[in-house]
Coordinates of all heavy atoms in Angstrom, one line a residue:
E205 N 3.6 56.4 -28.4 CA 2.2 56.7 -28.5 C 1.7 57.5 -27.2 O 0.9 58.4 -27.4 CB 1.5 55.3 -28.5 CG 1.6 54.6 -29.8 CD 1.0 53.2 -29.8 OE1 0.7 52.7 -28.7 OE2 1.0 52.5 -30.8
V206 N 2.3 57.2 -26.1 CA 1.9 57.9 -24.9 C 2.4 59.3 -24.9 O 1.8 60.3 -24.5 CB 2.5 57.2 -23.6 CG1 2.4 58.0 -22.4 CG2 1.7 55.9 -23.4
F207 N 3.6 59.5 -25.5 CA 4.2 60.8 -25.6 C 3.3 61.8 -26.4 O 2.9 62.9 -26.0 CB 5.6 60.8 -26.3 CG 6.2 62.1 -26.5 CD1 6.8 62.8 -25.5 CD2 6.2 62.7 -27.8 CE1 7.4 64.1 -25.7 CE2 6.8 63.9 -28.0 CZ 7.4 64.6 -27.0
L208 N 2.9 61.3 -27.6 CA 2.0 62.1 -28.4 C 0.6 62.3 -27.7 O 0.0 63.4 -27.8 CB 1.8 61.4 -29.8 CG 2.7 61.8 -30.9 CD1 2.3 61.1 -32.2 CD2 2.7 63.4 -31.1
D209 N 0.1 61.3 -27.1 CA -1.2 61.4 -26.4 C -1.1 62.4 -25.3 O -2.0 63.3 -25.2 CB -1.6 60.0 -25.9 CG -3.1 60.0 -25.4 OD1 -3.9 60.2 -26.3 OD2 -3.3 59.9 -24.2
L210 N -0.1 62.4 -24.4 CA 0.0 63.4 -23.4 C 0.3 64.8 -23.9 O -0.2 65.8 -23.4 CB 1.2 62.9 -22.4 CG 0.9 61.9 -21.4 CD1 2.1 61.5 -20.6 CD2 -0.3 62.3 -20.5
L211 N 1.1 64.8 -25.0 CA 1.4 66.1 -25.6 C 0.2 66.9 -26.0 O 0.1 68.1 -25.9 CB 2.4 65.9 -26.7 CG 3.2 67.2 -27.2 CD1 4.0 67.8 -26.1 CD2 4.1 66.8 -28.4
G212 N -0.8 66.1 -26.5 CA -2.0 66.7 -27.0 C -3.0 67.1 -25.9 O -4.0 67.8 -26.1
R213 N -2.7 66.7 -24.6 CA -3.6 66.9 -23.5 C -3.0 67.9 -22.5 O -3.7 68.4 -21.6 CB -3.9 65.6 -22.8 CG -4.7 64.6 -23.7 CD -4.8 63.3 -23.1 NE -5.4 62.4 -24.0 CZ -6.7 62.3 -24.3 NH1 -7.6 63.0 -23.6 NH2 -7.2 61.4 -25.2
M214 N -1.7 68.2 -22.6 CA -1.0 69.1 -21.7 C -0.8 70.5 -22.4 O -0.6 70.5 -23.6 CB 0.3 68.5 -21.2 CG 0.2 67.2 -20.5 SD 1.8 66.3 -20.1 CE 2.4 67.4 -18.9
D215 N -0.8 71.5 -21.6 CA -0.6 72.9 -22.2 C 0.8 73.3 -22.0 O 1.6 72.6 -21.4 CB -1.6 73.9 -21.6 CG -1.4 74.0 -20.0 OD1 -0.3 73.9 -19.5 OD2 -2.5 74.2 -19.3
D216 N 1.1 74.5 -22.4 CA 2.5 75.0 -22.4 C 3.0 75.3 -21.1 O 4.2 75.6 -20.9 CB 2.6 76.2 -23.4 CG 2.5 75.9 -24.8 OD1 2.3 74.7 -25.1 OD2 2.6 76.7 -25.7
E217 N 2.1 75.4 -20.1 CA 2.6 75.6 -18.7 C 3.1 74.3 -18.0 O 3.6 74.4 -16.9 CB 1.4 76.2 -17.9 CG 0.9 77.6 -18.4 CD 2.0 78.6 -18.5 OE1 2.8 78.7 -17.5 OE2 2.2 79.3 -19.5
Q218 N 2.8 73.2 -18.7 CA 3.2 71.9 -18.1 C 4.4 71.4 -18.8 O 4.7 71.8 -20.0 CB 2.0 70.9 -18.3 CG 0.8 71.3 -17.5 CD -0.4 70.4 -18.0 OE1 -1.0 70.6 -19.0 NE2 -0.8 69.4 -17.1
E219 N 5.2 70.6 -18.1 CA 6.5 70.1 -18.6 C 6.4 68.6 -18.9 O 5.9 67.8 -18.0 CB 7.6 70.4 -17.6 CG 8.9 70.0 -18.1 CD 10.0 70.2 -17.1 OE1 9.7 70.5 -16.0 OE2 11.2 70.2 -17.5
L220 N 6.8 68.2 -20.1 CA 6.9 66.8 -20.5 C 8.3 66.5 -20.9 O 8.8 67.1 -21.8 CB 5.9 66.5 -21.6 CG 5.8 65.1 -22.1 CD1 5.4 64.1 -21.0 CD2 4.8 64.9 -23.3
V221 N 8.9 65.4 -20.3 CA 10.2 65.0 -20.6 C 10.2 63.5 -21.1 O 9.5 62.7 -20.4 CB 11.2 65.1 -19.4 CG1 12.6 64.6 -19.8 CG2 11.2 66.6 -18.9
W222 N 10.8 63.2 -22.2 CA 10.8 61.9 -22.7 C 12.3 61.4 -22.8 O 13.1 62.1 -23.5 CB 10.2 61.8 -24.1 CG 10.1 60.4 -24.7 CD1 10.3 59.2 -24.1 CD2 9.8 60.1 -26.1 NE1 10.2 58.2 -25.0 CE2 9.8 58.7 -26.2 CE3 9.5 60.9 -27.2 CZ2 9.6 58.1 -27.4 CZ3 9.2 60.3 -28.4 CH2 9.3 58.9 -28.5
L223 N 12.7 60.4 -22.1 CA 14.0 59.9 -22.1 C 14.1 58.4 -22.4 O 13.2 57.7 -22.1 CB 14.7 60.2 -20.8 CG 14.3 59.6 -19.5 CD1 15.0 58.3 -19.3 CD2 14.5 60.5 -18.3
T224 N 15.2 58.1 -23.1 CA 15.5 56.7 -23.4 C 17.0 56.4 -23.2 O 17.8 57.3 -23.4 CB 15.1 56.3 -24.8 OG1 15.5 54.9 -25.1 CG2 15.8 57.2 -25.8
R225 N 17.3 55.2 -22.7 CA 18.7 54.8 -22.6 C 19.4 54.5 -23.9 O 20.6 54.4 -24.0 CB 18.9 53.7 -21.6 CG 18.3 52.4 -22.1 CD 18.4 51.3 -21.0 NE 17.8 50.1 -21.5 CZ 17.7 48.9 -20.7 NH1 18.3 48.9 -19.6 NH2 17.1 47.9 -21.2
S226 N 18.6 54.3 -24.9 CA 19.1 54.0 -26.3 C 19.8 55.2 -26.8 O 19.4 56.4 -26.5 CB 18.0 53.5 -27.2 OG 17.4 52.3 -26.7
P227 N 20.8 55.1 -27.7 CA 21.5 56.2 -28.2 C 20.6 57.1 -29.2 O 21.0 58.2 -29.5 CB 22.6 55.6 -29.0 CG 22.2 54.2 -29.3 CD 21.4 53.8 -28.1
R228 N 19.5 56.6 -29.6 CA 18.5 57.3 -30.4 C 17.2 56.7 -30.3 O 17.0 55.6 -29.8 CB 19.0 57.4 -31.9 CG 19.2 56.1 -32.6 CD 19.9 56.3 -33.9 NE 20.1 55.0 -34.6 CZ 19.3 54.4 -35.5 NH1 18.2 55.1 -35.8 NH2 19.7 53.3 -36.1
F229 N 16.2 57.4 -30.9 CA 14.8 56.8 -31.0 C 14.8 55.9 -32.2 O 14.5 56.4 -33.3 CB 13.8 57.9 -31.0 CG 13.7 58.7 -29.7 CD1 14.4 59.9 -29.6 CD2 13.0 58.2 -28.6 CE1 14.4 60.6 -28.4 CE2 13.0 58.9 -27.4 CZ 13.7 60.1 -27.3
F230 N 15.0 54.6 -32.0 CA 15.1 53.7 -33.1 C 13.8 53.4 -33.8 O 12.8 53.2 -33.2 CB 15.6 52.3 -32.6 CG 17.1 52.3 -32.3 CD1 17.6 52.4 -31.0 CD2 18.0 52.2 -33.3 CE1 18.9 52.4 -30.7 CE2 19.4 52.2 -33.0 CZ 19.8 52.3 -31.7
P231 N 13.8 53.5 -35.1 CA 12.6 53.0 -35.9 C 12.5 51.5 -35.9 O 13.6 50.8 -35.9 CB 12.8 53.6 -37.3 CG 14.3 53.6 -37.4 CD 14.9 53.9 -36.0
L232 N 11.3 51.0 -36.0 CA 11.1 49.6 -36.2 C 11.6 49.2 -37.6 O 11.2 49.8 -38.6 CB 9.7 49.2 -36.1 CG 9.3 47.7 -36.2 CD1 9.8 47.0 -34.9 CD2 7.8 47.6 -36.3
E233 N 12.5 48.3 -37.7 CA 13.0 47.9 -39.0 C 12.0 47.0 -39.7 O 11.6 45.9 -39.2 CB 14.3 47.1 -38.9 CG 15.1 47.0 -40.2 CD 16.4 46.3 -40.1 OE1 17.0 46.3 -38.9 OE2 17.0 45.9 -41.1
Y234 N 11.5 47.5 -40.9 CA 10.3 46.8 -41.5 C 10.5 46.6 -43.0 O 9.6 46.6 -43.7 CB 9.1 47.7 -41.2 CG 7.8 46.9 -41.1 CD1 7.6 46.1 -40.0 CD2 6.8 46.9 -42.1 CE1 6.5 45.3 -39.8 CE2 5.7 46.2 -41.9 CZ 5.5 45.4 -40.8 OH 4.3 44.6 -40.7
T235 N 11.8 46.4 -43.4 CA 12.0 46.2 -44.8 C 11.8 44.7 -45.1 O 11.8 43.8 -44.2 CB 13.5 46.5 -45.2 OG1 14.4 45.9 -44.3 CG2 13.7 48.0 -45.1
K236 N 11.5 44.3 -46.3 CA 11.0 43.0 -46.7 C 12.0 41.9 -46.3 O 11.7 40.8 -45.9 CB 10.6 43.0 -48.1 CG 9.3 43.8 -48.4 CD 8.9 43.8 -49.8 CE 7.6 44.5 -50.0 NZ 7.6 45.8 -49.6
L237 N 13.3 42.1 -46.6 CA 14.3 41.0 -46.3 C 14.4 40.9 -44.8 O 14.7 39.8 -44.3 CB 15.6 41.3 -47.0 CG 15.7 41.1 -48.5 CD1 17.0 41.5 -49.1 CD2 15.4 39.7 -48.8
T238 N 14.3 42.0 -44.1 CA 14.3 41.8 -42.6 C 13.0 41.1 -42.1 O 13.1 40.3 -41.2 CB 14.3 43.2 -42.0 OG1 15.6 43.8 -42.2 CG2 14.2 43.1 -40.4
L239 N 11.9 41.3 -42.8 CA 10.7 40.6 -42.4 C 10.8 39.1 -42.6 O 10.1 38.3 -41.9 CB 9.5 41.2 -43.2 CG 8.9 42.5 -42.7 CD1 7.8 43.0 -43.7 CD2 8.4 42.5 -41.3
E240 N 11.7 38.7 -43.5 CA 11.9 37.3 -43.7 C 12.5 36.6 -42.4 O 12.4 35.4 -42.3 CB 12.8 37.0 -44.9 CG 12.1 37.2 -46.2 CD 12.9 36.6 -47.3 OE1 14.1 36.4 -47.2 OE2 12.3 36.2 -48.3
L241 N 13.0 37.4 -41.5 CA 13.5 36.8 -40.3 C 12.3 36.3 -39.4 O 12.5 35.6 -38.4 CB 14.3 37.8 -39.5 CG 15.5 38.4 -40.2 CD1 16.4 39.2 -39.2 CD2 16.4 37.3 -40.8
T242 N 11.1 36.8 -39.7 CA 9.9 36.2 -39.0 C 9.4 35.0 -39.8 O 8.4 35.0 -40.4 CB 8.8 37.2 -38.8 OG1 8.4 37.7 -40.1 CG2 9.2 38.4 -38.0
S243 N 10.3 34.0 -39.9 CA 10.0 32.8 -40.7 C 10.4 31.6 -39.9 O 11.2 31.6 -39.0 CB 10.9 32.9 -42.0 OG 12.3 32.9 -41.7
P244 N 9.8 30.4 -40.3 CA 10.1 29.2 -39.6 C 11.6 28.8 -39.7 O 12.2 28.3 -38.8 CB 9.2 28.2 -40.2 CG 8.7 28.8 -41.5 CD 8.7 30.2 -41.3
E245 N 12.2 29.0 -40.9 CA 13.5 28.6 -41.1 C 14.5 29.4 -40.3 O 15.6 29.0 -39.8 CB 14.0 28.5 -42.5 CG 13.9 29.8 -43.3 CD 12.6 30.0 -44.1 OE1 11.5 29.7 -43.5 OE2 12.6 30.3 -45.3
Y246 N 14.2 30.7 -40.1 CA 15.1 31.6 -39.3 C 15.0 31.1 -37.8 O 16.0 31.1 -37.1 CB 14.8 33.0 -39.4 CG 15.7 33.9 -38.7 CD1 17.1 34.0 -39.1 CD2 15.3 34.6 -37.5 CE1 18.0 34.8 -38.4 CE2 16.3 35.4 -36.8 CZ 17.6 35.5 -37.2 OH 18.5 36.2 -36.5
A247 N 13.7 30.8 -37.3 CA 13.6 30.3 -36.0 C 14.4 29.1 -35.8 O 15.0 28.9 -34.7 CB 12.1 30.1 -35.7

Side-chain angles (χ1 to χ4, degrees):
E205 291 174 350
V206 166
F207 177 78
L208 266 183
D209 191 65
L210 281 177
L211 196 57
R213 298 171 186 277
M214 299 172 72
D215 60 36
D216 288 1
E217 299 302 313
Q218 298 169 284
E219 183 180 14
L220 179 59
V221 178
W222 182 14
L223 64 91
T224 175
R225 65 182 177 180
S226 299
R228 60 191 176 94
F229 292 97
F230 283 101
L232 184 72
E233 192 175 342
Y234 212 69
T235 54
K236 291 179 173 58
L237 286 176
T238 294
L239 284 177
E240 284 199 334
L241 302 187
T242 58
S243 63
E245 61 263 47
Y246 185 70

